[in-house]
Amino acid sequence: MEFKLHSARSNSRTSHRYCATLIAGALAARLLSVLVQLSILLIFVSGCAHEGEKVVIYTSQDQVFAQPILAKFTEHTGIRVATVYDSEAVKTVGLANRLLQERDHPQCDVFWSNEELRTRQLAARDVLRETNGWASFGFRSRRIVINTNLVPLNFAPKTIAGLTNGVWRGKVCLAYPLFGTTATHFLALRELWGAPAWENWCRALAANQPLLVDGNSVVVKQVARGEAALGLTDSDDIASGLEEGFPIVALPMSDDMLLIPNTVAVIRHAPHPAAAERLFEYLQTKPVLDALLKAHALEGAVPSKKSGLYPDWGNLLANLEPATTKLREIFLR
């Protein structure tokens, strides 16, 4: 009897230990499940926060050049980039006007322009942040491009002033001079020559019946096809044409040809200031400059001041409206 009682008690203790083990195992499994779910939740929340970090950029840099660089920025930082590109016809002017309209309720963080005038205009209108608002990096240039099958090098005009020569009547192609780098170039010439001489030249050029097209890349194609003997365009568009095997060549720089830096700026009261600063700094790095040089989007890192047009930007901006009105009057289609 005592043996049976002892056995029952022993079995009871064993049963209790077994149940405790089961309970402890269940609790451990439950705790592990909770921890796993919590880890998944933390990863999800962290991922959502990471995915929510973004920066908005408006750019007149050609999409084919800008997109890989912005993709690299996202790869390196995890910051998504929402990009608004310009149109070939109105170029930087359209984006600058949009930023002016949004000045009191900014939608954009960073403005990456492939020319300088509109960035300076935005700075003067308090669209850019007050301190370290913008910077320039690398440069292109304005050039006369000729069809080598139609124009011997020794016969080509040496300067832009020569485009009004009657021999080029109906044979010159240029982008509509109210937009983009063509407009900037024409406005800079006004500072170089003075308003009366500049206006006379503009009227003489218009009277020479130039072929006006929507964009500098179109100029190169028209010259390459022989629809124009020569044109006024940007160095990067000429480089692209040469890569395609077009029968063209750029004439050397002269004192009335414009140097065109790339610029990057941060908008005042940018919606995403921290991300904006990171992109602002990134676009000024050597790898970005090297990528743009390799793609022929830029001509060089630092322009030489031995040749090229260096306008008085303050005076140019002060006279921007009347000068633009005069261009519209002369070249309006």
Side-chain angles (χ1 to χ4, degrees), residues 7-328:
S7 298
R9 289 174 179 173
S10 177
N11 289 341
S12 177
R13 286 195 296 269
T14 301
S15 176
H16 288 160
R17 284 197 298 269
Y18 178 70
C19 289
T21 301
L22 287 178
I23 292 169
L27 288 172
R30 179 59 177 165
L31 180 60
L32 179 61
S33 175
V34 170
L35 289 173
V36 169
Q37 292 179 41
L38 182 60
S39 298
I40 292 171
L41 179 61
L42 288 173
I43 291 170
F44 175 76
V45 170
S46 175
C48 287
H50 183 70
E51 289 174 3
E53 193 174 9
K54 72 173 184 178
V55 63
V56 179
I57 184 170
Y58 293 178
T59 180
S60 59
Q61 180 58 264
D62 292 342
Q63 186 170 354
V64 66
F65 302 136
Q67 192 166 337
I69 289 171
L70 297 175
K72 282 284 186 183
F73 172 76
T74 297
E75 181 183 327
H76 292 159
T77 66
I79 300 171
R80 294 184 297 112
V81 182
T83 311
V84 176
Y85 293 98
D86 65 357
S87 69
E88 177 69 11
V90 299
K91 296 301 287 183
T92 319
V93 175
L95 292 177
N97 286 341
R98 179 170 176 170
L99 287 166
L100 284 167
Q101 292 170 359
E102 295 173 355
R103 179 171 53 186
D104 297 331
H105 48 92
Q107 309 298 306
C108 172
D109 297 298
V110 175
F111 178 48
W112 177 9
S113 174
N114 64 359
E115 60 128 329
E116 187 173 0
L117 170 61
R118 302 301 163 178
T119 303
R120 289 180 176 273
Q121 180 190 16
L122 292 171
R125 299 284 295 274
D126 295 327
V127 175
L128 308 183
R129 69 182 181 184
E130 188 174 0
T131 303
N132 195 23
W134 69 280
S136 62
F137 62 100
F139 73 96
R140 298 175 296 153
S141 62
R142 296 283 294 169
R143 297 294 185 96
I144 294 175
V145 60
I146 63 172
N147 183 309
T148 53
N149 295 328
L150 300 177
V151 182
L153 273 173
N154 60 353
F155 188 68
K158 300 297 187 291
T159 67
I160 193 174
L163 296 181
T164 58
N165 191 311
V167 71
W168 306 120
R169 185 178 180 84
K171 298 178 181 179
V172 177
C173 185
L174 64 147
Y176 193 45
L178 279 174
F179 306 110
T181 52
T182 308
T184 302
H185 193 179
F186 275 49
L187 293 168
L189 288 171
R190 187 178 186 271
E191 298 308 303
L192 177 67
W193 295 335
W198 172 77
E199 185 176 333
N200 289 337
W201 178 82
C202 287
R203 293 191 183 281
L205 180 61
N208 223 17
Q209 298 179 356
L211 179 61
L212 300 179
V213 297
D214 290 332
N216 291 300
S217 63
V218 183
V219 172
V220 172
K221 292 172 184 175
Q222 298 282 62
V223 172
R225 288 194 293 259
E227 295 176 19
L230 68 166
L232 184 62
T233 188
D234 295 340
S235 58
D236 60 313
D237 294 299
I238 297 172
S240 296
L242 289 170
E243 286 183 347
E244 293 188 43
F246 292 168
I248 59 172
V249 69
L251 298 184
M253 284 289 292
S254 60
D255 290 340
D256 54 11
M257 290 298 168
L258 183 67
L259 297 170
I260 319 164
N262 257 223
T263 62
V264 58
V266 177
I267 305 304
R268 186 185 294 265
H269 305 308
H272 311 96
E277 177 62 24
R278 293 189 71 179
L279 182 54
F280 176 70
E281 293 175 355
Y282 178 80
L283 289 176
Q284 297 176 66
T285 60
K286 189 176 185 299
V288 169
L289 178 62
D290 290 344
L292 291 170
L293 289 170
K294 184 177 179 180
H296 302 298
L298 293 177
E299 188 176 345
V302 181
S304 168
K305 293 194 174 183
K306 292 181 180 179
S307 64
L309 178 56
Y310 291 86
D312 179 342
W313 291 108
N315 195 48
L316 190 155
L317 287 170
N319 292 285
L320 181 59
E321 292 305 319
T324 301
T325 299
K326 188 60 66 176
L327 283 173
R328 187 178 295 109

